[in-house]
Amino acid sequence: MAAKAQAEQAEKADQGDQAQAGEGVKITARGVNVWYGENHAIRDVNVDIDDKTVTAFIGPSGCGKSTFLRCLNRMNDTIEICRVEGRIEMDGQDIYAPEVDPVLLRARVGMVFQKPNPFPKSIYENVAYGPRIHGLAKNRAELDGIVEKSLRRAALWDEVKDRLSAPGTGLSGGQQQRLCIARAIATSPEVLLMDEPASALDPIATAQIEELIDELRAKFAVVIVTHSMQQAARVSQKTAFFHLGELVEYGETGQIFTNPRDPRTESYITGRIG
Amino acid sequence: MPDRHILRAFDRDLREIQAEIMKMGGLVEEAILESARALAARDPELAEKVRRRDREIDALEARINEEAARVIALRQPAASDLRTLLTVIKIAGNLERIGDYAKNLAKRTAVLVNMPDIEGAPRAIRRMAKEVEQMLKDALDAYMRHDAALAEEVRQRDHEVDQMYNALFRQFLTFMMEDPRSITPCMHLHFIAKNIERMGDHVTNIAEQVIYLVTGELPEESRPKATGFSEEGLTP
């Protein structure tokens, strides 16, 4: 409880008033197609991702939701046989333009993966790494500040503040995932992509991550890929349903889960064979 | 959309709960018809039977609510499944109210058999009860068949029940003014007519739930209301 109150205070100090959901469009995707070799993985996807909003991508395995997520910070660039067509803009700027440095883009669009993957380094170094390589801190004191702020925002500070030099890999699964979130937000990104961030965690750690996602929404656009429809329902304001590489339906989460427009969405979220 | 869940037990749960609704609906239809028949035939025994059977209706409502809560907790229904369960709860609530009105009709019948007959009234009331029962039957059919058009038709038919009630109301008023000795039976009969009119409103609610179940939205525009009494300040 005390930890949360403190974290909240820290939030308020550097954030001003809490931002509301749905403050304009952050990312625009138009006519996006992705191929893995011959396999047409994403088919003509158009979507507007809102700022300061949690957007959930749901759909059966192999529907393309993770592939599309990875387009948003050009993670697919690292896969040789992968070809991306169409236009993806962040704040009106084409993120696939030749002058865009993917490394800098990924500092603006952070990512958290399914399995917590802390570096085999200290807790402090895990968080300090990004800000250091991007030159975000002038001196040690500033870096200390960023590390503390990021750990607080990831709701981990009170659990680790006395052992910052202990290895990050020694934390519990849930703590490791929050450490990875702290690492992802240490570079002050604008968008946070999360690929199944809680699927390897127990229910309590999952609830903590979900609570954290809801808090992060005040600061970032969050896009989460999840297999758990209940998780999508719990944490997101917008939901996109992918099926066979197509974006079948995209809308307000409450609407998707009470009254989906497309029968394929209905079949999927009600657990019918589809 | 395929109508089967991957998890078959979920289908069984939904089927069972809807079977209970249909059973409850059947009991309520019977209660409407039998209470009206008891009144027309001045049959206190039949009236007593309707009163006794209301307990069964109440117990079914409780069971349906419990079952719906259990399914919501265990299956986390979404979309049409969620709407099915929400409507099941609401329909059970409306059926229970209709059952109560039928019980009240039976209670008043037990009193009315000891009073002078009011010419034509029991027959008119029975016609009205039959109309409401038919509406209920159609509303429940619409529910089972997911037929929003039929539900909308039922909703519109409530207008006729309202008009029947209005006609009876005027008639009773005339009787009471002509002969003050008829006031007691006419007041009972008036309450009966009013209760049947209320049954019609609950059937309308059920029809609206069917529309919600099928379309995901409650009908917006209000139904035609024809009382003709509100201007006269005579609406009871």
Side-chain angles (χ1 to χ4, degrees), chain A residues 6-238:
Chain A
Q6 268 185 17
E8 270 170 13
Q9 251 177 6
E11 284 278 302
K12 274 186 194 131
D14 61 3
Q15 200 175 286
D17 49 347
Q18 292 273 315
Q20 298 296 309
E23 291 187 351
V25 175
K26 185 70 186 171
I27 296 175
T28 307
R30 289 292 175 269
V32 175
N33 283 278
V34 179
W35 285 265
Y36 288 122
E38 291 300 300
N39 178 15
H40 196 171
I42 296 283
R43 292 161 187 269
D44 200 29
V45 167
N46 299 295
V47 69
D48 288 336
I49 309 260
D50 287 344
D51 200 9
K52 310 233 180 340
T53 298
V54 180
T55 303
F57 290 174
I58 61 170
S61 295
C63 69
K65 57 192 189 297
S66 288
T67 299
F68 186 71
L69 186 81
R70 293 160 62 89
C71 292
L72 302 181
N73 70 345
R74 294 183 56 175
M75 285 291 281
N76 290 327
D77 288 16
T78 59
I79 300 168
E80 205 156 309
I81 58 161
C82 181
R83 195 167 94 247
V84 179
E85 277 178 13
R87 195 172 170 86
I88 301 177
E89 291 178 356
M90 185 159 91
D91 294 332
Q93 189 203 8
D94 181 2
I95 65 169
Y96 281 85
E99 67 272 18
V100 172
D101 177 351
V103 176
L104 291 180
L105 173 71
R106 286 174 205 140
R108 291 174 67 201
V109 185
M111 192 153 185
V112 176
F113 299 88
Q114 176 175 3
K115 256 185 85 183
N117 54 353
F119 303 136
K121 285 175 182 293
S122 71
I123 293 167
Y124 183 95
E125 281 304 317
N126 262 280
V127 183
Y129 180 79
R132 190 183 284 133
I133 61 161
H134 287 291
L136 299 180
K138 284 198 289 288
N139 50 45
R140 176 73 190 206
E142 263 189 38
L143 194 58
D144 287 354
I146 292 174
V147 169
E148 177 172 344
K149 197 174 84 177
S150 305
L151 285 168
R152 277 193 194 283
R153 204 170 269 160
L156 189 59
W157 176 251
D158 287 292
E159 290 161 58
V160 301
K161 63 184 176 197
D162 300 322
R163 47 172 173 150
L164 291 175
S165 55
T169 48
L171 297 170
S172 74
Q175 287 172 328
Q176 284 188 24
Q177 194 61 306
R178 278 179 282 150
L179 178 63
C180 293
I181 292 171
R183 185 178 65 189
I185 61 184
T187 55
S188 297
E190 296 152 50
V191 179
L192 199 55
L193 308 180
M194 302 179 129
D195 195 349
E196 297 275 356
S199 58
L201 305 179
D202 70 44
I204 301 296
T206 299
Q208 285 168 336
I209 297 290
E210 287 176 0
E211 166 62 16
L212 178 56
I213 291 170
D214 196 52
E215 284 171 16
L216 293 174
R217 153 168 92 90
K219 195 95 175 131
F220 313 103
V222 180
V223 186
I224 175 171
V225 163
T226 175
H227 269 124
S228 159
M229 284 176 281
Q230 291 314 313
Q231 181 169 66
R234 285 192 301 262
V235 302
S236 73
Q237 288 76 51
K238 289 283 199 77

Side-chain angles (χ1 to χ4, degrees), chain B residues 47-203:
Chain B
E48 177 54 31
K49 185 190 152 205
V50 172
R51 289 168 71 175
R52 268 199 319 271
R53 292 207 80 180
D54 188 54
R55 269 177 237 135
E56 247 178 276
I57 294 171
D58 290 354
L60 261 175
E61 191 212 5
R63 196 150 80 226
I64 286 166
N65 284 344
E66 257 172 53
E67 187 60 15
R70 194 184 69 86
V71 175
I72 289 170
L74 301 186
R75 310 270 184 227
Q76 286 101 43
S80 60
D81 295 334
L82 178 62
R83 297 205 301 274
T84 298
L85 287 160
L86 293 176
T87 50
V88 153
I89 295 169
K90 289 218 166 182
I91 290 174
N94 279 293
L95 286 174
E96 190 273 335
R97 293 297 303 159
I98 297 172
D100 279 356
Y101 286 130
K103 185 172 87 173
N104 186 272
L105 204 165
K107 255 192 216 167
R108 291 181 191 278
T109 296
V111 180
L112 280 166
V113 290
N114 301 315
M115 293 182 188
D117 199 8
I118 300 293
E119 185 61 37
R123 269 218 330 273
I125 282 175
R126 202 171 164 198
R127 253 201 322 276
M128 198 176 162
K130 271 186 178 158
E131 174 61 26
V132 167
E133 186 269 341
Q134 193 57 45
M135 277 170 63
L136 177 58
K137 192 170 174 301
D138 288 345
L140 292 171
D141 279 353
Y143 174 72
M144 282 318 277
R145 300 206 309 253
H146 282 217
D147 186 341
L150 179 56
E152 179 58 33
E153 192 208 302
V154 170
R155 208 165 85 91
Q156 299 297 333
R157 261 155 60 195
D158 187 45
H159 185 53
E160 288 160 35
V161 176
D162 290 350
Q163 278 178 334
M164 286 167 134
Y165 164 69
N166 290 341
L168 274 171
F169 178 69
R170 285 176 192 276
Q171 202 185 325
F172 293 146
L173 212 55
T174 315
F175 283 155
M176 288 188 282
M177 284 190 289
E178 275 172 5
D179 181 3
R181 283 171 303 176
S182 73
I183 287 178
T184 306
C186 276
M187 284 307 290
H188 278 295
L189 287 165
H190 167 251
F191 275 119
I192 287 172
K194 179 71 196 167
N195 285 346
I196 297 175
E197 187 270 327
R198 292 293 297 147
M199 287 180 190
D201 292 344
H202 285 284
V203 174

